[in-house]
Amino acid sequence: REGVWVIPVLSGKVKRWYFRCYFRWSNSSNDCPTFSSFSDEKICPEFTDLNIGNALSGTELQVQLLLYTRENPNCSERLIEHDVAASEYLNTSKKFVFVIHGFRPTGSPPAWLGDIKELLLSSEDINLIIVDWNRGATTVNYVTAVENCRKVAEILKNYVDQMLVRQRVASVLNNFK
């Protein structure tokens, strides 16, 4: 079709190729050809990898909750902060373990992160949530990282509260069956 370019893209940890459309004259998604064989594409969210330049300029706080389970040990699922029910792998009947890094003056992911993930998942069938707040922890100003740490704690508190409410509602509904 004239005006539509379809380009194969391989980005990060991708289970398979997927296609992205670029429109030359139109912004309508109807102009994009469909590829049903590629509809099950799976992109694995990764821990934020920054550098010393980011530490010098500072970063705004952004938090990713990356879920790993025995069903998805190599490809995290990014949890949606305000929608606990949107997860494919989260199982509220299993134990939750949160791994939270600290101050990151150089911006690189913690070297120990992969090892701790493998160790925890091999020892028990759990919901492992890696809390990535590298955008916010990467700074040369330690005081800023401390302030952001408090904000991360508030985000986690709200997420856990949502999980507890969901669990109570599910428990009540199960009593009516």
Side-chain angles (χ1 to χ4, degrees):
R1 198 183 270 185
E2 188 174 325
V4 177
W5 301 319
V6 180
I7 300 172
V9 179
L10 181 62
S11 173
K13 289 183 181 175
V14 178
K15 296 252 179 184
R16 68 183 337 170
W17 287 92
Y18 67 99
F19 290 87
R20 177 165 290 153
C21 291
Y22 294 91
F23 305 98
R24 192 168 180 186
W25 295 291
S26 171
N27 289 326
S28 169
S29 62
N30 295 332
D31 290 340
C32 184
T34 58
F35 297 93
S36 59
S37 63
F38 294 97
S39 62
D40 61 342
E41 72 199 38
K42 182 116 179 174
I43 299 174
C44 301
E46 294 182 351
F47 191 93
T48 307
D49 191 358
L50 302 174
N51 59 46
I52 193 71
N54 298 108
L56 293 171
S57 63
T59 57
E60 290 292 318
L61 178 64
Q62 292 179 19
V63 178
Q64 289 191 99
L65 303 177
L66 303 174
L67 174 67
Y68 291 92
T69 67
R70 286 187 173 171
E71 292 178 56
N72 66 321
N74 299 314
C75 181
S76 73
E77 175 186 27
R78 184 179 293 122
L79 298 176
I80 299 170
E81 183 183 335
H82 300 291
D83 190 0
V84 176
S87 174
E88 178 181 349
Y89 296 103
L90 190 72
N91 182 340
T92 56
S93 67
K94 294 179 183 175
K95 184 166 132 181
F96 285 82
V97 175
F98 291 85
V99 174
I100 308 169
H101 64 88
F103 176 57
R104 307 294 311 152
T106 64
S108 62
W112 48 264
L113 207 52
D115 292 338
I116 195 79
K117 177 189 73 155
E118 289 175 21
L119 178 68
L120 289 168
L121 289 175
S122 67
S123 66
E124 194 172 351
D125 192 9
I126 58 173
N127 294 297
L128 174 61
I129 299 174
I130 294 180
V131 180
D132 172 7
W133 64 287
N134 209 19
R135 290 191 183 280
T138 298
T139 178
V140 292
N141 184 348
Y142 183 74
V143 174
T144 300
V146 169
E147 291 168 359
N148 286 336
C149 186
R150 291 185 181 106
K151 295 173 188 174
V152 171
E154 185 67 27
I155 289 168
L156 291 177
K157 178 207 171 294
N158 292 338
Y159 195 79
V160 169
D161 286 348
Q162 287 179 52
M163 285 191 295
L164 292 172
V165 166
R166 181 176 177 223
Q167 212 167 17
R168 279 187 289 234
V169 168
S171 172
V172 168
L173 291 176
N174 284 337
N175 289 334
F176 287 109
K177 290 183 178 180

